[in-house]
């Protein structure tokens, strides 16, 4: 799912906000976690990555906190997250011949088709880096590890920040995870911020892409310096407004749900 899709704008978001605001405070984390998992749902192979990240890092955080050799355990935790990230990067991009041949020989058809149908999960890079940040903070005693699995799963999968960040340290969300308290003025302000981000993305970035993409996609560029500078400027502003727009949408949605995500792209 995507923030700019009609399904998200006219079905998923209105329903989730309505159910979330009507739910009792103690049930809101569960409602938001369910909504985040629905947002992330693609193919089963993509969901496996998030199951591994949530389960693995929850226990790694507890394991590191209890250790007198936290440095070694933190390094192992970093390798764990990088291994998941790089595995999906490699096998969804290249799918080496030995990989496909191995599973064709040793696995039943159902498992084989699932493994060969790997897709790169949305937001995996951001989440993996966020998990490394969490483990390092726990190792440095900057923050305590999360003891509640539901709260930790919500922190990892919180859908507003999945697509393009901002990467949010656990310590910035920890206080709000058990019982977020959205108030109507903040909900309204957050949805306005979301609308501003949507405008940046669809009415500015996507329109600038119509200038930049044809120029950069030419196999043998041949145009005047004026057109070259126009394409370069369009591409520069497209990238800025694309990320700035998505960040505004993430911060706005976070505020609507009672969370304060860090500012980004101020200048």
């Amino acid at each position: 799912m995507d923030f700019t899709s009609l399904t998200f704008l006219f079905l998923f978001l209105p329903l989730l906000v309505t159910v979330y605001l009507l739910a009792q405070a103690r049930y809101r984390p569960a409602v938001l976690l369910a909504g985040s998992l629905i947002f992330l749902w693609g193919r089963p192979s993509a969901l496996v990555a998030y199951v591994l990240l949530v389960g693995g890092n929850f226990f790694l955080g507890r394991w590191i906190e209890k250790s007198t050799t936290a440095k070694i355990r933190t390094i192992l935790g970093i390798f764990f997250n990088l291994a998941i990230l790089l595995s999906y990067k490699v096998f969804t991009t290249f799918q080496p011949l030995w990989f496909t041949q191995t599973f064709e020989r040793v696995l039943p058809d159902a498992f084989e088709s699932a493994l060969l149908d790997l897709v790169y999960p949305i937001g995996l890079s951001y989440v993996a880096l966020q998990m490394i940040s969490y483990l390092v903070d726990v190792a440095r005693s900057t923050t305590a590890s999360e003891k509640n699995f539901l709260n930790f799963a919500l922190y990892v999968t919180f859908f507003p920040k999945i697509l393009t960040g901002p990467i949010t340290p656990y310590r910035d969300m920890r206080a709000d995870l058990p019982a977020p308290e959205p108030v109507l003025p903040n909900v309204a302000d957050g949805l306005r911020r979301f609308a501003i981000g949507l405008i940046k993305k669809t009415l500015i970035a996507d329109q600038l892409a119509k200038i930049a993409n044809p120029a950069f996609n030419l196999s043998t560029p041949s145009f005047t310096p004026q057109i070259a500078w126009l394409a370069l400027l369009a591409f520069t502003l497209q990238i800025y407004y694309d990320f700035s727009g998505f960040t505004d949408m993430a911060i706005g949605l976070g505020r609507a749900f009672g969370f304060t995500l860090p500012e980004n792209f101020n200048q």
Side-chain angles (χ1 to χ4, degrees):
M1 204 179 299
D2 186 89
F3 288 164
T4 62
S5 70
L6 295 180
T7 302
F8 178 84
L9 292 172
F10 295 105
L11 181 62
F12 177 84
L13 184 58
L15 283 175
L16 180 60
V17 170
T18 301
V19 173
Y20 184 75
L21 293 178
L22 292 176
Q24 296 181 16
R26 59 178 176 170
Y27 296 128
R28 282 177 181 153
V31 170
L32 198 49
L33 176 60
S36 295
L37 293 176
I38 293 171
F39 180 87
L40 291 170
W41 181 262
R43 299 181 191 175
S45 63
L47 195 60
V48 168
Y50 284 100
V51 171
L52 291 172
L53 287 169
V54 172
N57 285 288
F58 177 77
F59 290 107
L60 279 167
R62 302 295 306 278
W63 189 49
I64 289 170
E65 187 176 49
K66 296 176 181 178
S67 171
T68 56
T69 58
K71 185 175 181 180
I72 296 174
R73 296 187 179 188
T74 304
I75 292 172
L76 292 175
I78 292 172
F79 276 117
F80 170 77
N81 286 284
L82 290 179
I84 294 175
L85 176 60
L86 294 176
S87 295
Y88 272 85
K89 284 276 190 186
V90 170
F91 292 122
T92 58
T93 305
F94 303 109
Q95 210 156 90
L97 184 61
W98 65 264
F99 174 75
T100 58
Q101 289 177 341
T102 299
F103 287 117
E104 285 172 356
R105 286 196 304 266
V106 302
L107 289 179
D109 291 343
F111 287 102
E112 176 192 325
S113 61
L115 286 167
L116 297 182
D117 196 29
L118 286 172
V119 294
Y120 190 78
I122 58 173
L124 180 60
S125 301
Y126 285 94
V127 174
L129 293 174
Q130 190 171 261
M131 291 298 92
I132 291 173
S133 168
Y134 167 73
L135 296 180
V136 170
D137 280 349
V138 171
R140 291 177 174 174
S141 300
T142 304
T143 185
S145 66
E146 178 57 66
K147 310 301 189 294
N148 185 295
F149 186 79
L150 174 63
N151 292 345
F152 185 76
L154 176 57
Y155 165 66
V156 177
T157 62
F158 186 50
F159 78 90
K161 61 180 178 57
I162 283 288
L163 292 178
T164 56
I167 294 175
T168 309
Y170 166 72
R171 60 182 178 273
D172 290 351
M173 291 183 63
R174 180 175 186 174
D176 295 323
L177 286 169
E181 297 181 2
V183 293
L184 290 181
N186 286 346
V187 174
D189 186 50
L191 293 178
R192 280 193 292 270
R193 180 73 177 269
F194 175 85
I196 291 171
L198 185 64
I199 289 170
K200 285 183 180 180
K201 165 63 179 168
T202 57
L203 298 187
I204 301 178
D206 288 354
Q207 305 314 309
L208 288 168
K210 294 178 181 179
I211 301 173
N213 289 346
F216 280 89
N217 289 336
L218 289 174
S219 57
T220 54
S222 177
F223 35 69
T224 64
Q226 293 86 345
I227 298 298
W229 277 107
L230 176 63
L232 185 61
L233 179 61
F235 180 72
T236 302
L237 293 174
Q238 175 204 344
I239 294 299
Y240 174 83
Y241 280 105
D242 195 279
F243 278 96
S244 176
F246 270 117
T247 300
D248 281 341
M249 287 189 274
I251 292 172
L253 288 174
R255 189 171 299 165
F257 291 116
F259 294 89
T260 302
L261 302 183
E263 291 290 340
N264 205 346
F265 292 96
N266 287 332
Q267 304 183 42

